[in-house]
Amino acid sequence: MGKILKMIAQRLGLGLITLLVVSLIIFLGVELLPGDLAEAILGQAATEETVAAFRRELKLDLPAHERYFDWLFGIMQGDMGKSLANQRQISELIGTRLGNTLFLAMVAAIISVPLAVTLGVLAALYRNSFYDKCVNVVTLTSISFPEFFVAYILILFLAVKAGIFPSISNVSPDTDLWDRVYRVALPALTLTLVVIAHMMRMTRAAIINLLASPYIEMANLKGMPRSRIIVKHALPNAWAPIINVIVINLAYLVVGVVVVEVVFVYPGLGQLLVDSVSKRDIPVVQAASMIFAATYILLNLTADILSILTNPRLLHPK
Amino acid sequence: MELSMVLKEFWKELKKAPGTAWVGLAIIVFYVFLAVFAPFLTPYGESEVVGYEFEPWGENFALGTDNLGRDMATRLIYGARNTIGIAFITTALTFMMGSITGFMAATLGGWFDQALSRVVDILMAIPSLIFALLILTITGTSIPALIIVIAVLDSTRVFRLARAVSMNVVVMDYVEVAKLRGEGLWWIMNREVLPNATAPLVAEFGLRFCFVFLFISALSFLGLGIQPPTADWGSMVRDNATLITFGDITPLLPAGAIAMLTVGVNFVVDWFLQLTSGLRDEH
């Protein structure tokens, strides 16, 4: 048991260091890149006084390390500073939007994960059959589709032609749960289609890899029934790769929402990020990037830890 | 002499190739043809306003006009040139940076390898779309900035592959011999490592191209990639998206053009991978 705890502690430490370095990059990237931020935002016509005033307001006149620690401690306490574009508190802007984004990603995950894992396992069990070959071509095709292509096809058929779902997913904080699910149906479906192919291929590869191992062949030669081989020998070792596949795709979902949110005008964090990038509203971009990056890193960390916890070799040491 | 041998070998393999590979090759050849001969195939100029906004499909404008009254078919064909051209340059740059640093890390080893590998670990911990958006906020969206940002971010993946592949090569005796003979780093990388690492890198080139191509299209679609008036598929979808709500499929054409090319490239890569490795997951 001690070995497992040590490995987990190691991963946690590594994750924490990564988070710190990433926050450093997100914050200091602005400093290191060429061009003066104040002049870039205010434009060529700005007088020296306005530039100086702007620098003071952003605290750009303080040394970089001081601002970095201010910013980092601020974020940890939920205070992310003010938006340049409309002077509102960033935490206020982000709060409900982050909830909306996570809700969308969650709905997509609830649909896609069980479906992808089942289909992937089936493709692995019936390898090289007609079904498997179809799956290969279909998934390869859908991996190649840009997200907005899938989104607009769904809008065309399900919203415009059939009129089943709304083409714009406008939700407000007081929309009730079922109405919310109805409104995010199309974006969630788009995300599902985007992520499912990838998840299936990875599940299939993981299972095939496993079924080729010597102990499965041994069990087979012993005359053990196939269902028992799967449950007793294959599944315990398959959890780690499958969980890995799922969590990596969840991480992908959280980032993949950016484009989908823009298509469906869904009030999420991704849309805020894109808007802020075109307005060059740096504090908001930094805060939103930090949240996305942290979610991504934490999910990958979870995958690591779960695969340690489900690894039979570590759970039953000799 | 050698070239004709290679072509003959290629043709022999091609005859055995599955249908999907043929479809993929046909698509790629078609797109390259469009991109190269764009000015001769189009009735109007790339950003010439020739009619009213959103004119329907008809005699003058085969696929109608866009949101500013430019000919849709013309811009679609020019889009092949711009979008594919930029994606190709970016991928080429990605590969140059990724494979040179990867080979160097494997050949030199030691602290050089350690330092580069840790930097790559960190860069890969941040989702690339988010990272790209962050950097483009500061540098502004210009085509050179776009190419460099994406190339640097994506070269991390090429670095990992190039390093992993060449790790197996640099332990070989002939590399040792070359080192003892006093050959320089560049010579070893170019003459000993590269020829033995070509097959996986070629397949990876196809995959990276698809990724970069989709990535640039997504950025353009968000209005943060290739800027107007350059004809580009991602921004064409964005500009004409309102037509969808009237049941008009015109905005799906540039999106479909993107999808078709990536499907084609993926089919060819899939075939190539089966050819070189006897399929990844077939044990």
Side-chain angles (χ1 to χ4, degrees):
Chain A
M1 213 49 207
K3 201 173 161 197
I4 293 185
L5 283 180
K6 200 177 142 207
M7 279 180 83
I8 290 176
Q10 249 172 13
R11 292 295 148 93
L12 279 175
L14 211 63
L16 212 63
I17 293 172
T18 314
L19 263 179
L20 262 179
V21 177
V22 165
S23 76
L24 206 67
I25 291 177
I26 288 178
F27 189 80
L28 293 184
V30 181
E31 313 276 321
L32 297 176
L33 284 163
D36 185 273
L37 177 62
E39 276 170 24
I41 289 173
L42 294 174
Q44 295 286 329
T47 60
E48 259 175 51
E49 289 87 70
T50 35
V51 172
F54 184 77
R55 292 176 140 270
R56 250 197 314 286
E57 196 195 314
L58 274 186
K59 299 194 190 130
L60 280 177
D61 45 352
L62 295 178
H65 62 270
E66 228 168 274
R67 275 180 294 131
Y68 169 67
F69 286 114
D70 258 10
W71 178 74
L72 191 64
F73 290 124
I75 278 200
M76 282 189 219
Q77 291 159 4
D79 169 25
M80 302 178 211
K82 269 189 198 157
S83 149
L84 290 182
N86 51 18
Q87 300 302 321
R88 284 175 59 191
Q89 285 291 329
I90 296 175
S91 46
E92 205 178 294
L93 280 173
I94 283 181
T96 47
R97 282 171 176 269
L98 180 62
N100 286 346
T101 292
L102 291 179
F103 179 75
L104 175 57
M106 203 182 68
V107 174
I110 291 175
I111 307 174
S112 58
V113 169
L115 206 59
V117 171
T118 321
L119 291 175
V121 170
L122 283 178
L125 288 181
Y126 300 102
R127 182 150 57 110
N128 290 334
S129 66
F130 179 69
Y131 165 73
D132 184 34
K133 287 196 174 120
C134 283
V135 160
N136 187 35
V137 172
V138 171
T139 52
L140 207 53
T141 310
S142 75
I143 284 176
S144 321
F145 282 2
E147 283 132 343
F148 51 84
F149 185 46
V150 179
Y152 281 124
I153 289 179
L154 289 181
I155 289 186
L156 181 66
F157 287 110
L158 294 180
V160 178
K161 296 248 155 104
I164 307 172
F165 295 112
S167 64
I168 287 178
S169 315
N170 47 343
V171 294
S172 63
D174 40 68
T175 316
D176 69 66
L177 183 66
W178 286 115
D179 198 25
R180 210 172 258 261
V181 172
Y182 169 68
R183 279 168 195 276
V184 302
L186 279 189
L189 209 57
T190 309
L191 282 172
T192 305
L193 288 176
V194 169
V195 86
I196 211 170
H198 206 229
M199 227 187 306
M200 254 181 80
R201 281 177 87 90
M202 284 165 80
T203 312
R204 175 181 176 276
I207 300 282
I208 286 181
N209 215 342
L210 197 77
L211 290 181
S213 22
Y215 60 84
I216 298 284
E217 200 180 352
M218 173 70 201
N220 227 340
L221 293 174
K222 226 160 49 173
M224 208 177 195
R226 202 171 167 76
S227 57
R228 241 178 100 74
I229 296 180
I230 301 275
V231 175
K232 286 272 294 191
H233 293 281
L235 217 48
N237 286 295
W239 282 127
I242 291 179
I243 288 173
N244 234 329
V245 171
I246 292 171
V247 180
I248 287 170
N249 279 285
L250 288 185
Y252 177 82
L253 266 183
V254 173
V255 181
V257 292
V258 175
V259 172
V260 175
E261 279 179 8
V262 172
V263 174
F264 291 95
V265 205
Y266 183 71
L269 196 54
Q271 225 201 0
L272 178 73
L273 177 61
V274 171
D275 284 349
S276 308
V277 172
S278 41
K279 280 189 250 166
R280 305 189 83 174
D281 191 342
I282 305 243
V284 181
V285 174
Q286 283 178 325
S289 312
M290 193 61 217
I291 293 178
F292 272 122
T295 320
Y296 191 76
I297 293 169
L298 287 179
L299 279 172
N300 280 321
L301 187 68
T302 320
D304 264 4
I305 291 179
L306 282 179
S307 58
I308 293 174
L309 282 180
T310 49
N311 187 339
R313 282 203 196 100
L314 290 171
L315 285 178
H316 308 288
K318 277 179 205 159
Chain B
M1 180 61 202
E2 200 167 55
L3 186 73
S4 70
M5 285 283 284
V6 172
L7 281 179
K8 217 178 202 171
E9 195 67 19
F10 180 71
W11 178 245
K12 223 172 84 190
E13 286 299 340
L14 195 61
K15 272 196 286 192
K16 284 186 288 180
T20 49
W22 277 93
V23 173
L25 274 177
I27 292 174
I28 294 173
V29 169
F30 175 64
Y31 274 78
V32 170
F33 176 78
L34 284 188
V36 172
F37 296 104
F40 306 105
L41 298 169
T42 51
Y44 306 102
E46 181 183 351
S47 45
E48 189 186 347
V49 176
V50 290
Y52 295 105
E53 291 104 67
F54 295 135
E55 278 192 47
W57 297 16
E59 242 171 66
N60 284 341
F61 313 108
L63 300 174
T65 58
D66 71 357
N67 60 326
L68 295 176
R70 296 168 295 193
D71 182 44
M72 197 73 190
T74 302
R75 285 182 71 76
L76 259 181
I77 295 176
Y78 269 101
R81 182 176 257 206
N82 298 328
T83 318
I84 298 175
I86 291 173
F88 189 79
I89 294 172
T90 312
T91 320
L93 195 63
T94 305
F95 259 77
M96 251 168 52
M97 292 195 297
S99 50
I100 289 179
T101 48
F103 290 162
M104 271 171 81
T107 320
L108 292 174
W111 64 267
F112 184 82
D113 180 24
Q114 280 296 322
L116 265 183
S117 297
R118 291 297 83 74
V119 170
V120 165
D121 281 350
I122 296 284
L123 284 182
M124 286 180 84
I126 312 176
S128 30
L129 181 61
I130 305 299
F131 209 163
L133 288 181
L134 177 74
I135 299 176
L136 289 175
T137 319
I138 303 155
T139 59
T141 44
S142 63
I143 291 180
L146 196 69
I147 291 178
I148 294 174
V149 167
I150 299 177
V152 169
L153 290 181
D154 210 35
S155 62
T156 52
R157 282 155 219 278
V158 181
F159 168 84
R160 281 226 175 143
L161 180 78
R163 181 178 171 277
V165 173
S166 49
M167 272 298 186
N168 296 328
V169 180
V170 292
V171 293
M172 294 291 180
D173 289 340
Y174 52 81
V175 176
E176 187 73 12
V177 169
K179 273 183 188 164
L180 291 175
R181 211 162 53 214
E183 301 289 0
L185 172 68
W186 181 253
W187 197 93
I188 294 178
M189 274 165 46
N190 214 11
R191 303 290 285 272
E192 308 286 8
V193 180
L194 184 62
N196 289 299
T198 322
L201 282 179
V202 168
E204 185 71 7
F205 191 90
L207 293 178
R208 287 332 318 156
F209 174 79
C210 285
F211 181 82
V212 167
F213 185 61
L214 287 175
F215 198 82
I216 292 179
S217 303
L219 281 176
S220 300
F221 174 75
L222 296 174
L224 306 168
I226 302 168
Q227 298 295 317
T230 310
D232 155 75
W233 290 334
S235 42
M236 283 169 74
V237 178
R238 168 197 176 84
D239 291 342
N240 301 297
T242 39
L243 282 181
I244 285 275
T245 42
F246 302 106
D248 186 338
I249 61 157
T250 314
L252 287 180
L253 295 176
I258 297 168
M260 202 161 94
L261 179 60
T262 39
V263 170
V265 174
N266 264 329
F267 278 164
V268 174
V269 170
D270 201 49
W271 166 57
F272 190 81
L273 280 175
Q274 280 183 29
L275 211 64
T276 52
S277 68
L279 200 61
R280 291 149 292 173
D281 50 20
E282 230 74 27
H283 286 275

